[in-house]
């Protein structure tokens, strides 16, 4: 019996050693944890978390996550451990051991580590991708919300294409920031290039007008085609209070008097 037990123990140790040999040199952060306790982390993971392996092994895996995410992670771990359900790939944030917060993709699935039922978590740093997305959004903002100064205190914003809910929210969020530093007294928004006009667009025009008033900027809309004007009235939203002119040229002529 003792001989058999010894062989079993060696077998468990060998299993753990084989597993470590497989994942130790992976470029992706690989963490094995059970009941929230870290059992193993590869060298790439230790480098990513900026701490020695010895200080990570034995730690609580939940300490890596923001408080806002912990309930989600706890439930995810529970389903892994109790229901043997593979955790789908998600985006979240984790703390490195030096306190820095990093955007990551997280994938988890049940494993047996030696004889311990555990969870293997793969953590992928997506900071470069997030930074690229942020820069792309800046470029899109510059292209889709072009503030064109024409005279001192006066600028024109031409809107072109479809104004759906997503784009309307983008303009509402970005426009107040973009006009900072221009010292505007008047902003002309030309809608002659807008393809659609529905309740979303009507609400957008009304909200922008209200925001500009709060900022002390007089807003003038130009380019309402007859069909757009008719739809504006049909929406029933109070946009008749906004100031309109036939085109940009007439608006500028009026402002320059």
């Amino acid at each position: 019996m003792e001989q058999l037990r010894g062989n079993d123990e060696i077998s468990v140790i060998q299993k753990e050693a084989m597993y470590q040999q497989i994942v130790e040199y992976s470029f992706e952060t690989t963490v094995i944890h059970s009941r929230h306790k870290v059992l193993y982390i590869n060298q790439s993971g230790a480098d990513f978390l900026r701490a020695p392996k010895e200080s990570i092994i034995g730690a609580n895996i939940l300490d890596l996550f923001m408080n806002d995410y912990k309930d989600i992670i706890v439930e995810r771990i529970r389903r892994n451990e109790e229901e043997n359900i593979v955790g789908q790939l998600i985006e979240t944030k984790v703390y490195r051991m030096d306190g820095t917060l990093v955007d990551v993709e997280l994938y988890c699935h049940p494993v047996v580590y030696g004889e311990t039922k555990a969870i293997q978590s793969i953590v992928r740093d997506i900071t470069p991708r997030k930074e690229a997305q942020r820069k792309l959004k800046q470029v899109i903002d510059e292209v889709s919300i072009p503030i064109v100064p024409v005279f001192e205190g006066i600028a024109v914003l031409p809107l072109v294409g479809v104004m759906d809910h997503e784009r309307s929210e983008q303009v509402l969020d970005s426009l107040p920031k973009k006009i900072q530093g221009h010292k505007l007294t008047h902003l002309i928004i030309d809608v002659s290039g807008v393809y659609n006009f529905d309740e979303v667009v009507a609400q957008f025009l009304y909200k922008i007008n209200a925001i500009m008033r709060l900022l002390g900027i007089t807003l003038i809309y130009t380019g309402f085609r007859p069909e757009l004007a008719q739809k504006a009235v049909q929406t029933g939203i109070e946009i008749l209070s906004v100031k309109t002119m036939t085109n940009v040229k007439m608006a500028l002529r009026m402002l320059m008097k």
Side-chain angles (χ1 to χ4, degrees):
M1 288 293 293
E2 293 296 329
Q3 180 68 31
L4 289 175
R5 187 177 297 113
N7 289 338
D8 288 342
E9 290 175 356
I10 292 173
S11 177
V12 170
I13 294 172
Q14 287 175 337
K15 287 179 181 178
E16 291 183 1
M18 288 175 61
Y19 177 86
Q20 291 180 17
Q21 286 179 2
I22 293 171
V23 301
E24 182 61 32
Y25 299 105
S26 170
F27 290 111
E28 293 191 313
T29 295
T30 304
V31 185
I32 304 296
H33 51 96
S34 178
R35 299 184 181 276
H36 300 172
K37 180 181 177 180
V38 176
L39 304 179
Y40 167 78
I41 185 168
N42 64 352
Q43 188 57 51
S44 293
D47 293 342
F48 170 68
L49 293 178
R50 297 177 179 174
K53 284 186 177 184
E54 297 75 19
S55 65
I56 301 172
I57 295 174
N60 190 327
I61 191 71
L62 296 179
D63 290 342
L64 296 178
F65 298 94
M66 298 173 63
N67 289 333
D68 293 345
Y69 291 91
K70 284 187 179 179
D71 288 345
I72 298 172
I73 299 301
V74 167
E75 175 60 17
R76 187 178 170 90
I77 290 174
R78 185 198 67 76
R79 297 188 70 192
N80 267 256
E81 292 180 338
E82 298 178 10
E83 303 175 25
N84 209 41
I85 295 176
V86 174
Q88 295 181 344
L89 186 69
I90 62 170
E91 289 188 10
T92 184
K93 296 177 183 287
V94 298
Y95 285 107
R96 286 178 165 137
M97 294 303 181
D98 61 2
T100 55
L101 196 60
V102 189
D103 289 296
V104 299
E105 282 182 341
L106 178 65
Y107 171 72
C108 306
H109 62 88
V111 295
V112 176
Y113 183 66
E115 290 186 333
T116 303
K117 188 176 179 181
I119 298 171
Q120 175 176 286
S121 294
I122 307 297
V123 183
R124 182 176 299 126
D125 183 6
I126 58 172
T127 303
R129 189 177 80 194
K130 286 291 186 180
E131 179 63 19
Q133 289 174 347
R134 186 186 65 80
K135 290 181 178 179
L136 177 60
K137 184 179 182 300
Q138 286 182 338
V139 172
I140 292 174
D141 285 349
E142 290 297 324
V143 173
S144 62
I145 314 175
I147 302 294
V148 184
V150 287
F151 295 103
E152 185 176 352
I154 304 172
V156 177
L157 168 60
L159 294 178
V160 179
V162 176
M163 291 298 297
D164 56 14
H165 178 75
E166 183 178 352
R167 189 175 177 212
S168 297
E169 289 298 315
Q170 177 195 8
V171 176
L172 284 169
D173 179 62
S174 301
L175 184 56
K177 302 171 188 175
K178 292 196 67 172
I179 62 177
Q180 288 181 356
H182 286 284
K183 297 181 180 180
L184 296 182
T185 57
H186 294 80
L187 176 64
I188 302 169
I189 297 183
D190 184 68
V191 298
S192 60
V194 174
Y195 301 151
N196 63 310
F197 200 103
D198 52 21
E199 186 173 333
V200 170
V201 178
Q203 288 179 338
F204 160 74
L205 298 180
Y206 184 73
K207 288 178 182 178
I208 283 291
N209 188 58
I211 292 172
M212 293 300 108
R213 281 184 178 179
L214 289 174
L215 295 176
I217 298 172
T218 299
L219 184 61
I220 302 173
Y221 286 110
T222 63
F224 273 95
R225 301 189 300 276
E227 65 272 22
L228 293 184
Q230 185 177 12
K231 288 182 181 179
V233 174
Q234 290 173 351
T235 60
I237 296 174
E238 287 291 333
I239 64 167
L240 298 179
S241 59
V242 303
K243 193 168 186 177
T244 62
M245 299 288 291
T246 303
N247 53 49
V248 174
K249 184 178 180 179
M250 291 184 65
L252 289 174
R253 185 180 299 164
M254 184 268 295
L255 292 175
M256 297 304 294
K257 284 183 178 179

